[in-house]
């Protein structure tokens, strides 16, 4: 819990984290593997087409952005599951 975070604020924060996690998981379930594969294939095609160093850097940048987004979604899923778990434990302990 943050230094001055009240119980209600903590519960609200955890609820939002859990919701973001569910939304991220839904996106990954619906598009995740297909999207990552498509990003990789596009990067390979773009690498073959690149004629200048600037174009190569752009391909690298685009691919890195796609991988970073995927990583952030996976992280949001993990944080959301932990938040949901904490909310469940608190609900059980408060009867």
């Amino acid at each position: 819990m943050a230094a001055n975070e009240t119980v209600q604020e903590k519960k609200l924060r955890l609820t939002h984290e859990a919701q973001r996690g569910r939304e991220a998981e839904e996106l990954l379930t619906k598009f995740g593997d297909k999207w990552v594969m498509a990003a990789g294939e596009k990067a390979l095609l773009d690498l073959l087409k690149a004629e200048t160093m600037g174009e190569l850097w752009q391909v690298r940048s685009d691919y890195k952005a796609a991988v970073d987004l995927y990583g952030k979604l996976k992280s949001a899923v993990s944080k959301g599951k932990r938040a949901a778990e904490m909310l469940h434990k608190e609900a059980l302990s408060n009867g």
Side-chain angles (χ1 to χ4, degrees):
M1 187 159 43
N4 295 325
E5 186 177 48
T6 66
V7 173
Q8 285 296 82
E9 290 169 335
K10 179 182 177 185
K11 185 176 179 181
L12 184 61
R13 179 179 54 80
L14 291 173
T15 300
H16 286 151
E17 280 183 22
Q19 179 62 33
R20 281 191 298 271
R22 285 190 295 275
E23 290 168 356
E25 187 169 32
E26 185 177 316
L27 285 172
L28 287 173
T29 299
K30 196 170 186 177
F31 304 109
D33 292 337
K34 293 177 192 172
W35 180 72
V36 170
M37 292 297 293
E41 289 173 10
K42 182 182 181 318
L44 288 174
L45 291 173
D46 290 347
L47 280 173
L48 292 172
K49 293 177 191 174
E51 294 181 1
T52 67
M53 196 61 164
E55 290 172 343
L56 288 172
W57 280 107
Q58 186 61 49
V59 171
R60 180 187 178 277
S61 177
D62 292 348
Y63 184 72
K64 185 175 180 336
V67 169
D68 287 349
L69 177 59
Y70 184 77
K72 287 177 183 177
L73 287 171
K74 295 288 275 185
S75 177
V77 170
S78 295
K79 286 179 183 177
K81 286 182 179 181
R82 284 193 303 273
E85 206 172 279
M86 290 174 73
L87 285 169
H88 181 73
K89 285 180 183 176
E90 284 194 23
L92 289 177
S93 69
N94 292 333

